[in-house]
Amino acid sequence: MAKTRNTLSHLLLLCASFPLGATYADAAELRLSWWGGNQRHEATLAAINAFQKAHPTITVKAEYAGWDGYLSRLSTQMAGGQEPDVIRIDWNWLPQFSRNGEGFYDLNKQKDRLALDDFPPGYLKTADVKGKLQGLPISMTYRSMIYNKTTWDKAGIAYPQTWDELFAAGPVFKQKLGDNYYPLGAAQGASDALDILTLGRSYMAQKYGIDLIDEQNQRIAYSREQVRELFAFYKKLVDSHVLPDQRYFSSFGRSNVYEIRPWINGELAGMYLWDSAIYTYSSNMPKETELETGPFITLSGAKDSGITTKPSSLFAIGKNSKHPEEAAMLINFMLSHPEGVKALGLQNGMPANPKAQKMLEESGVINPDNLLANAYRAAAAQPESKVPVSPFMENQELVQLWTNSLQKLDYGKGEVNQVADDFLSNANRILKRAIR
């Protein structure tokens, strides 16, 4: 009888130690890695804490850092088979880490635990490599125009709706506000001119209905004349005082553009950026500054909307994980469970899971005054682009070549056609190596 009482007491003690509604699994320790700023770190740690309360037998070790160095560290871990169980990855890393769909665990094996049916099939397709789902989109992101309303009001002109209106805005800014004021900045600046390349790609997609990169033939999709036109487009942005040149951004060293004074004080009165980065760019602004989403700039008679979209990032499961089921439970909790969704909020951008979006609407996180949500929805309301962007557009060698080419142009080390021709030949060599 005493033994029975002791057993019953032990069971009662165990029950008391677990919260009501908790789900149990075998004991496991998971590693979760991600990059971001302090706000994202705090949100993700809160989601981990909520998950561990719901699953007391699972321990989650957080491995987080800023952007710099994250890819290098992950590359080393992957090469040694020591990658975390759950990994935040950038979409354009898939060709690097999983060229044949073997780099990460196939998430289709955990279809039910991950509630994959809740995600739009088109979103899942972006991470499908040879029939194997190599990541689950955390959020989808669009390229959007974000404007400093305060500065534009001072200039006295409306946000541009066409490319001609954008080019015409530059001289107005210069005349009314001074040489230091520009309608647009560039999110990456001198060290990385990817935003300018993406802006040019949008223009070219509208005009010609093709992407920058031809993956099938492992080369730039544009003709020589079209590449020259792309560089002439950039030169016109600079010459029309729409955008500062590379010498301007180089004067700030390697500082992030959202940290420099001209952005904070409104001299750079707009940004063409991923909507998932809006919080980064708005957080340093004075409280009285009002940022707004602008119209999508279009070309008359455009063949395509030119809208650029991609997963802002993905959660993948390491192919060497000893606990793929528990790892899938963690991902599902963060992207689909009310407590996880609430904890993450919009720190990763607009959730890719429509049910998660609805949860944040009902909780008031997504509201009519939310800039990120407004930018996302404005982009999503545009005609769908039939020209999907290639992940190789963000190839590091290609982006650096583009940046160096713009610097040559801006420092007077070559004229437009010469720089464009050199870019084309070198870019084709890079893509021939990168796309296999």
Side-chain angles (χ1 to χ4, degrees):
M1 186 69 178
K3 183 177 180 180
T4 301
R5 282 199 301 268
N6 289 338
T7 302
L8 179 60
S9 297
H10 181 64
L11 287 172
L12 289 173
L13 181 61
L14 283 175
C15 292
S17 66
F18 292 120
L20 290 175
T23 304
Y24 309 115
D26 292 337
E29 180 175 288
L30 302 176
R31 293 162 56 209
L32 166 63
S33 70
W34 73 92
W35 74 84
N38 288 334
Q39 290 181 319
R40 181 180 293 167
H41 296 334
E42 292 173 1
T44 309
L45 290 171
I48 290 173
N49 288 336
F51 174 80
Q52 291 183 137
K53 287 181 181 178
H55 303 279
T57 60
I58 302 177
T59 302
V60 180
K61 180 183 177 183
E63 299 179 5
Y64 54 97
W67 172 256
D68 290 342
Y70 183 89
L71 176 57
S72 176
R73 185 181 69 177
L74 178 59
S75 299
T76 301
Q77 291 173 330
M78 295 277 288
Q82 300 295 318
E83 74 273 14
D85 298 275
V86 178
I87 316 162
R88 181 189 176 109
I89 62 172
D90 212 348
W91 171 68
N92 64 293
W93 296 348
L94 287 178
Q96 175 180 345
F97 288 126
S98 189
R99 197 181 301 274
N100 297 311
E102 302 291 341
F104 301 101
Y105 180 86
D106 182 8
L107 300 186
N108 289 314
K109 296 178 181 179
Q110 301 294 332
K111 181 177 186 294
D112 294 334
R113 282 187 176 84
L114 290 167
L116 295 185
D117 288 341
D118 289 346
F119 291 78
Y123 292 2
L124 299 180
K125 188 177 179 180
T126 63
D128 184 287
V129 182
K130 299 187 181 300
K132 297 180 180 180
L133 187 60
Q134 295 293 275
L136 189 59
I138 301 171
S139 63
M140 297 298 291
T141 184
Y142 291 88
R143 284 280 182 175
S144 299
M145 288 289 188
I146 305 299
Y147 294 117
N148 186 323
K149 183 177 184 299
T150 308
T151 303
W152 280 81
D153 284 348
K154 290 179 182 177
I157 54 176
Y159 302 139
Q161 299 188 52
T162 67
W163 296 106
D164 286 341
E165 290 177 357
L166 176 63
F167 289 127
V172 175
F173 266 67
K174 184 175 182 178
Q175 179 185 0
K176 291 190 174 182
L177 303 179
D179 290 347
N180 294 334
Y181 283 80
Y182 296 85
L184 283 181
Q188 264 82 20
S191 62
D192 183 345
L194 177 60
D195 293 282
I196 301 172
L197 179 59
T198 311
L199 184 67
R201 177 207 169 270
S202 180
Y203 169 80
M204 298 293 283
Q206 290 176 9
K207 188 170 182 178
Y208 296 107
I210 55 176
D211 187 30
L212 171 71
I213 294 173
D214 177 355
E215 291 187 23
Q216 183 175 354
N217 294 304
Q218 304 166 285
R219 58 177 291 112
I220 296 293
Y222 303 158
S223 67
R224 183 174 300 276
E225 289 304 317
Q226 288 170 335
V227 173
R228 290 179 174 184
E229 184 177 356
L230 175 65
F231 276 85
F233 172 82
Y234 166 72
K235 190 72 165 57
K236 187 174 181 180
L237 288 172
V238 172
D239 291 348
S240 299
H241 200 78
V242 171
L243 181 79
D245 66 14
Q246 295 298 292
R247 293 174 299 177
Y248 173 96
F249 291 111
S250 294
S251 68
F252 298 98
R254 298 191 62 83
S255 297
N256 295 307
V257 174
Y258 57 81
E259 297 173 319
I260 66 176
R261 184 58 56 186
W263 166 248
I264 296 171
N265 67 17
E267 291 177 15
L268 300 178
M271 284 289 165
Y272 181 67
L273 44 65
W274 294 113
D275 55 41
S276 55
I278 282 176
Y279 283 143
T280 302
Y281 280 81
S282 63
S283 61
N284 289 343
M285 308 298 284
K287 291 183 179 180
E288 63 273 15
T289 301
E290 186 175 354
L291 297 179
E292 289 184 333
T293 302
F296 282 85
I297 299 177
T298 56
L299 187 71
S300 178
K303 294 183 178 181
D304 191 87
S305 66
I307 295 291
T308 305
T309 185
K310 67 169 187 175
S312 63
S313 55
L314 311 160
F315 275 138
I317 294 178
K319 69 175 181 180
N320 296 301
S321 175
K322 297 178 181 178
H323 307 287
E325 294 181 6
E326 289 82 358
M329 291 165 60
L330 175 58
I331 294 174
N332 174 260
F333 186 87
M334 291 189 290
L335 302 187
S336 299
H337 190 280
E339 288 298 313
V341 170
K342 178 182 176 183
L344 290 182
L346 294 174
Q347 290 305 319
N348 294 301
M350 182 71 84
N353 184 348
K355 290 184 177 179
Q357 290 186 25
K358 187 174 181 180
M359 293 176 200
L360 294 180
E361 288 172 0
E362 292 173 347
S363 66
V365 173
I366 296 177
N367 57 66
D369 296 326
N370 187 277
L371 181 63
L372 188 155
N374 290 340
Y376 178 91
R377 287 175 170 168
Q382 299 299 308
E384 183 179 357
S385 175
K386 297 180 177 62
V387 184
V389 64
S390 168
F392 289 98
M393 182 175 173
E394 297 188 17
N395 175 278
Q396 290 179 322
E397 280 189 85
L398 183 67
V399 173
Q400 192 58 57
L401 172 65
W402 166 260
T403 304
N404 293 342
S405 299
L406 296 193
Q407 290 174 348
K408 284 183 181 179
L409 202 58
D410 291 337
Y411 281 92
K413 296 182 178 179
E415 51 84 34
V416 170
N417 288 350
Q418 174 193 345
V419 172
D421 292 350
D422 289 344
F423 170 83
L424 177 58
S425 58
N426 288 319
N428 284 339
R429 281 195 286 269
I430 289 171
L431 293 174
K432 192 73 174 178
R433 291 196 305 268
I435 305 174
R436 300 175 187 171

